[in-house]
Amino acid sequence: MGRLGNDRVTDPLRVGVVGLGRMGSYHAEALVDLDEVAIAAMADPRPGARGRAAQLHPQATLYADAAEMLDRARCEAVLVATPTPHHPGFVEASLDAGLHVLCEKPVALDPDESDRLGRLATSAGLVLQVGFWRRFASPWVAARDAVAAGRVGRPVLIRLSQWDADPPPPEFCDPAVSGGLAVDCGVHEFDLAEWLSGERLVGVRGEPMPIVEPRIGDVGDLDNLLVVGALHSGAKIVVDLSRNGRYGDDVRTEILGDSGAVFVDMLPHGRARIGTGDGVVDLPGSAAADAMRAGVRAQAAAFAARVRGAAVDVPDAFASSRAVRAALAAMRSLDSGAVEPV
Ligand SMILES: NC(=O)c1ccc[n+]([C@@H]2O[C@H](COP(=O)([O-])OP(=O)(O)OC[C@H]3O[C@@H](n4cnc5c(N)ncnc54)[C@H](O)[C@@H]3O)[C@@H](O)[C@H]2O)c1
């Protein structure tokens, strides 16, 4: 990426955004003034959604029809933030048009489809990155660096909590739309477990929990779920997901090693701490006033750098499919009562 002496990016990646709902508008807001990315076009069939996003990126061309945007806009890359069932179609159309893709999670509800798109991107020499933003947020980056440096020894347990404040509308929770709680929310946590440990998940078992919001049950989804799993080394993971935290969208991660632990918090502010025999201290560089916003911005910057040829490690379609397979295995285990292989 070209930079001037004062480190200013001279050629920001020209990105078109497809889908300006809850997450698309979050990206649109978070990416304002990000040097590495220029939002050149945005598409959504809803005029209100386009209007709000246009205020943030007045230079962007607006489209009601995303296919027209892919055809006509002068973009180098596409950010896909439509409902998940639309992802594969837009990802494939973008790759076919020679465009790099940053796709919201998961790339596809069907992990085989995600793998197919991953292979398509590889063979076309294009970047297909999935929106696992926690991998780019400073509290989790600092935590992973500490674990990878052996500062808490060999991991034996990873606990991952994701408690959303309130459920999205039931029509979004419908497993045919979102994949259901295990996929929709769980993919972040299954991915984090593998990324933090550097290991693969081998098996998971889900535990049903009470349904709090009956309308979520009516569409066939859950609003609370506990999953216990094992990594290749025998280390265990515990994932708890909820859509009724009420106080805020909260994510917490704890990695217990054989000589200490790392603790990641997101509320009220992002931070990571390390606990060893010397006590508990903040990990330098881990603080973030708003960890999600920081993660979403850093994720887009990493995407742009990767497209420009930098050797940046980014989560791909295969990471997405592994996380979806773990979520589907957890759901199978609710019926079988057994540990299901991932
Ligand atoms: N990474 C995260 O933390 C996170 C958080 C929330 C949602 N998501 C993901 O973001 C995606 C979108 O979720 P959401 O909650 O924003 O959904 P949403 O329903 O709020 O928004 C989807 C938007 O896509 C638009 N859309 C639908 N069909 C379209 C088409 N053919 N062309 C262009 N736009 C179209 C809709 O009009 C709507 O504005 C999902 O894949 C979800 O899993 C990720």
Side-chain angles (χ1 to χ4, degrees):
M1 185 175 298
R3 286 179 184 272
L4 298 177
N6 61 0
D7 212 33
R8 192 157 59 79
V9 173
T10 54
D11 55 349
L13 187 71
R14 292 176 57 83
V15 174
V17 181
V18 181
L20 298 165
R22 210 166 41 125
M23 198 58 203
S25 59
Y26 192 94
H27 284 284
E29 193 282 325
L31 301 189
V32 168
D33 293 335
L34 184 70
D35 285 347
E36 290 85 349
V37 164
I39 303 292
M42 299 185 288
D44 195 297
R46 294 185 302 126
R50 292 197 300 278
R52 278 191 298 279
Q55 289 175 2
L56 297 165
H57 297 280
Q59 79 291 353
T61 311
L62 300 176
Y63 296 87
D65 179 358
E68 191 187 344
M69 185 191 92
L70 292 182
D71 207 31
R72 298 181 55 175
R74 285 180 47 251
C75 294
E76 300 166 88
V78 176
L79 194 169
V80 177
T82 60
T84 303
H86 295 284
H87 291 183
F90 283 121
V91 169
E92 187 157 8
S94 304
L95 295 174
D96 283 350
L99 302 170
H100 303 274
V101 183
L102 172 56
C103 181
E104 256 314 330
K105 54 81 206 160
V107 167
L109 295 176
D110 174 355
D112 293 337
E113 177 68 350
S114 179
D115 285 344
R116 186 183 72 78
L117 292 166
R119 289 192 296 271
L120 202 63
T122 306
S123 64
L126 295 166
V127 178
L128 170 51
Q129 179 176 333
V130 65
F132 289 149
W133 60 262
R134 309 212 205 330
R135 289 202 195 190
F136 302 93
S138 54
W140 283 278
V141 172
R144 187 186 189 240
D145 287 350
V147 172
R151 294 184 61 191
V152 296
R154 184 172 53 95
V156 295
L157 173 69
I158 304 181
R159 284 207 317 215
L160 307 114
S161 295
Q162 185 183 157
W163 298 354
D164 284 356
D166 295 298
E171 54 275 19
F172 175 91
C173 294
D174 182 342
V177 177
S178 67
L181 179 69
V183 170
D184 184 43
C185 295
V187 287
H188 279 299
E189 309 310 322
F190 298 123
D191 177 68
L192 264 190
E194 292 201 341
W195 179 70
L196 287 167
S197 64
E199 293 187 43
R200 293 289 161 85
L201 278 165
V202 291
V204 292
R205 182 172 50 80
E207 290 282 342
M209 289 170 67
I211 288 191
V212 171
E213 172 56 68
R215 291 182 312 147
I216 304 295
D218 291 346
V219 296
D221 197 14
L222 311 164
D223 53 9
N224 297 282
L225 177 65
L226 178 67
V227 179
V228 179
L231 292 158
H232 191 256
S233 64
K236 294 288 190 282
I237 72 161
V238 178
V239 174
D240 47 82
L241 308 171
S242 177
R243 294 208 195 264
N244 35 70
R246 306 304 180 217
Y247 58 91
D249 288 344
D250 195 9
V251 183
R252 279 161 292 130
T253 311
E254 299 173 350
I255 306 112
L256 175 67
D258 60 14
S259 61
V262 173
F263 314 95
V264 180
D265 292 300
M266 180 167 165
L267 295 179
H269 304 295
R271 65 171 179 173
R273 293 168 297 149
I274 186 164
T276 64
D278 295 331
V280 179
V281 294
D282 285 346
L283 281 171
S286 69
D290 181 335
M292 179 169 174
R293 188 171 189 280
V296 165
R297 281 173 71 83
Q299 162 181 269
F303 174 63
R306 181 63 186 255
V307 167
R308 296 282 187 242
V312 186
D313 182 31
V314 299
D316 58 15
F318 306 106
S320 178
S321 58
R322 283 200 306 279
V324 170
R325 284 194 177 94
L328 297 178
M331 292 309 291
R332 278 201 310 279
S333 79
L334 293 180
D335 293 329
S336 71
V339 174
E340 291 284 340
V342 173

